[in-house]
Amino acid sequence: MIDPALRALPGLRPLIISRICSQLSATTMTIAIGWQIYALTHSVASLGYLGLAQFLPMVPLTFISGHVADRFNRRNIVLTCQILEILSTGALAAAAAMQILTPALVYTFAAFYGTLRSFEMPCQQAFLPAIAPPELLPRAQALLSSLFMTASIVGPSLGGLLYGLGAVTCYSLATLGLALAFFGTLALRLHHTVPAKEPVTFASVFAGLGFLNRRRDLLGAISLDLFAVLLGGATALLPVYADSVLHVGPIGLGFLRAAPAIGALVTSVWLSRHPLGRRAGVTMFISVVVFGVATIVFGASHITWISVLALMILGAADVISVVIRSSLIQLATPDSMRGRVSAVNSLFIGSSNQLGEFESGTLGAAIGPEAAVIAGGVGTILVAIVWIRLFPKLWSLDRLEDVRPEIL
């Protein structure tokens, strides 16, 4: 049941519809194109290249997209990106129907999608603070995460089932989901989302980096997630585990992919009703260590239920870190800087996810998938220990509700 205080927030419902439908389609597509590229190439490394194709466009566009998000209407930017996503996913469905889908076309789609996300994500991340006041933002973030994770549970399972019915069916329904996300964004009414425009200069474009350099706690939170997930992310190798280690097939792959979201859903629902209290920084570091331990257990397991349980714990730990990091960034950043700071955060998220998939795929091809996942989990734990020393202000972070934006 949604907290009555959150239910009363204007604009929250269309934002939820937009984010859920978008995530449902994205996770369905992730399963489909991951399984398809592996079926076309039978190469572990190809799974890593798929993540790299999504990540590379984000690097040159990050700072441009952040500045665009702070100069123009963020809602209109998201609507434009979603229209292009609908068209490109529909084209993928048409290519599958004509049986002309090749690895090159799949990589091209992934790269184009990564380009669109580099503009869409900074704007989307700035929506919630325009809807929820500071005292409700952590709970609203947890609620949005819980619903987001619900879509992440349904999407992979649906993707596995639909891909079993055919790639055309899967891609077509993903296109429909993106269309619903578009109408959710269209219904969203936000105020004061376009700050006063400033001249385009080198300093203004890269102002997000300067802000993060001043706020070391934010830099520590973003970079901790980058290196922890970069090293500990095992999702790129799930098709290999489903096929060659656990022998559960594409439907089993959907359930493996959904397992982290199940753990995250349970945890985020709890957080939406029982927000974090004291010592939020310590809690974040503990959650990263638990993430690393669960990754090691998954990497070593050959028993399906143990693997699923490890992935659920991994997801629960990850969402705690996500809620703390997201709330801290939004609460500590003034609205005039949210686009640029969110763009840097999106680049770090993309690095940890897409580049992490590339790292897992290439390392898995070199030393084997199980050794690669275990090594990544160990690396995650080591990163958490080092970051405690490098960012003591993040370690000492207490109550999120007390964080306020820095006056520029």
Side-chain angles (χ1 to χ4, degrees), residues 176-207:
L176 175 61
L178 290 170
L180 294 175
F182 168 81
F183 286 112
T185 305
L186 191 64
L188 192 61
R189 295 292 180 265
L190 300 174
H191 301 288
H192 309 299
T193 57
V194 184
K197 294 183 179 181
E198 57 182 298
V200 180
T201 64
F202 183 87
S204 67
V205 170
F206 290 91

Side-chain angles (χ1 to χ4, degrees), residues 322-346:
V322 166
V323 169
I324 294 173
R325 184 186 73 251
S326 300
S327 299
L328 176 61
I329 291 171
Q330 301 298 351
L331 288 168
T333 307
D335 186 67
S336 61
M337 287 291 299
R338 281 202 177 104
R340 281 163 285 186
V341 173
S342 295
V344 176
N345 185 41
S346 297

